[in-house]
Amino acid sequence: MRKLAFWGALVAAAAGTRWVLEQRPRQRVPDQTQDIPPEVYPAYGRITSLPHFRAIYGWQARRTLWNVPLTGAALDIGCGPGHLTAQLARLSPGLRLVGLDLAPEMLRLASHTYGDADGRLTWQQGQAEALPFPDRHFDLVVSSFSLHEWAEPVCVFDEIARVLKPGGRFAIFDSRRDMAAPAWLLLWLAQRLVVPTALADMDEPTGSVRAAYTPRELVALAQRSQLPPWRVASGFFWLSLENANTP
């Protein structure tokens, strides 16, 4: 009986895993989020403060800086709770950074968590498609896990090209919709076991993956933009649109 129960559980687990993997999105489903409940913002802040998220933001910051601290002005588009902005500030003491987000609730959370770092951090509300900054203003422009939310990504790319100084760096990170099977399985399980209810009720994080792009789709978008020489890099769960000479 025990052997039968063991093999029955094993078969059920294998069938369940196969079903979950079959839910991986093939076609992109654009982000349809309209009214976001207020409890979602602190929930997002809590989940992105977990150690593995901190490690991801730290890796993104180091990749963006090429392990060489920058000076000048930097912009983080869709900064959310400000984790990547703060990591860049920590690694490059000579940078002055602006964290831009459409949601004032996110900006309040970022300001509460990180303050202004002795005047080096500024939190500002604004739209990615119409950046409220003059031409050739920033030495560095970054974005993390916001690309899939942009209604007009090519417009945002052109805005980045406009506000970036000649020779400036840029790096736009996001999840990839065609992520590896183990990454999708982990996200699916996390949404049901770890993610706060306020986020899970909005089908997050798997909803963001459904709205994300594949590397090939991102190449097609970038080809229509005015960005300086670029490349698309990718890993088992992520992709990045960045300077062509990124190491």
Side-chain angles (χ1 to χ4, degrees):
M1 289 296 294
R2 288 184 177 179
K3 285 186 177 180
L4 286 176
F6 169 78
W7 285 108
L10 193 63
V11 169
T17 299
R18 180 178 178 179
W19 180 86
V20 171
L21 294 179
E22 288 175 349
Q23 308 310 305
R24 283 189 295 171
R26 270 55 173 185
Q27 300 297 319
R28 181 173 182 263
V29 180
D31 185 83
Q32 300 292 333
T33 304
Q34 298 294 329
D35 297 325
I36 299 177
E39 60 269 20
V40 166
Y41 298 106
Y44 184 79
R46 290 195 303 273
I47 199 71
T48 56
S49 294
L50 293 175
H52 59 287
F53 269 101
R54 296 279 188 171
I56 290 173
Y57 288 119
W59 170 81
Q60 290 177 348
R62 290 189 296 273
R63 180 183 178 87
T64 299
L65 297 171
W66 309 347
N67 292 318
V68 178
L70 287 178
T71 59
L75 171 65
D76 182 2
I77 301 174
C79 66
H83 302 316
L84 178 59
T85 324
Q87 287 276 15
L88 291 167
R90 181 179 65 83
L91 294 173
S92 287
L95 271 181
R96 303 180 309 279
L97 297 109
V98 178
L100 186 83
D101 204 282
L102 192 59
E105 296 87 352
M106 282 297 189
L107 296 172
R108 285 194 289 269
L109 183 59
S111 179
H112 175 76
T113 304
Y114 296 110
D116 67 354
D118 296 323
R120 293 177 52 225
L121 292 178
T122 302
W123 309 104
Q124 183 170 338
Q125 187 176 9
Q127 287 188 326
E129 290 85 357
L131 297 175
F133 306 104
D135 297 354
R136 302 186 176 190
H137 188 69
F138 292 103
D139 300 274
L140 170 67
V141 178
V142 299
S143 181
S144 182
F145 300 115
S146 290
L147 168 62
H148 65 274
E149 299 177 349
W150 298 342
E152 299 181 65
V154 176
C155 177
V156 180
F157 298 162
D158 289 345
E159 279 291 274
I160 292 172
R162 179 182 65 79
V163 302
L164 197 65
K165 291 180 180 179
R169 300 184 194 176
F170 61 93
I172 303 166
F173 296 98
D174 205 355
S175 302
R176 56 184 294 180
R177 193 176 72 252
D178 58 344
M179 62 176 51
W184 171 260
L185 182 61
L186 284 174
L187 277 181
W188 190 93
L189 290 172
Q191 183 167 315
R192 284 146 183 84
L193 300 175
V194 180
V195 170
T197 302
L199 286 172
D201 287 346
M202 295 185 64
D203 192 31
E204 291 296 342
T206 58
S208 290
V209 176
R210 298 181 200 281
Y213 297 92
T214 67
R216 180 175 295 182
E217 290 168 345
L218 184 54
V219 166
L221 290 171
Q223 286 174 337
R224 295 162 47 199
S225 77
Q226 300 175 24
L227 284 170
W230 52 269
R231 73 172 188 178
V232 170
S234 60
F236 75 102
F237 76 92
W238 61 273
L239 48 69
S240 177
L241 177 61
E242 57 196 23
N243 297 80
N245 58 344
T246 301

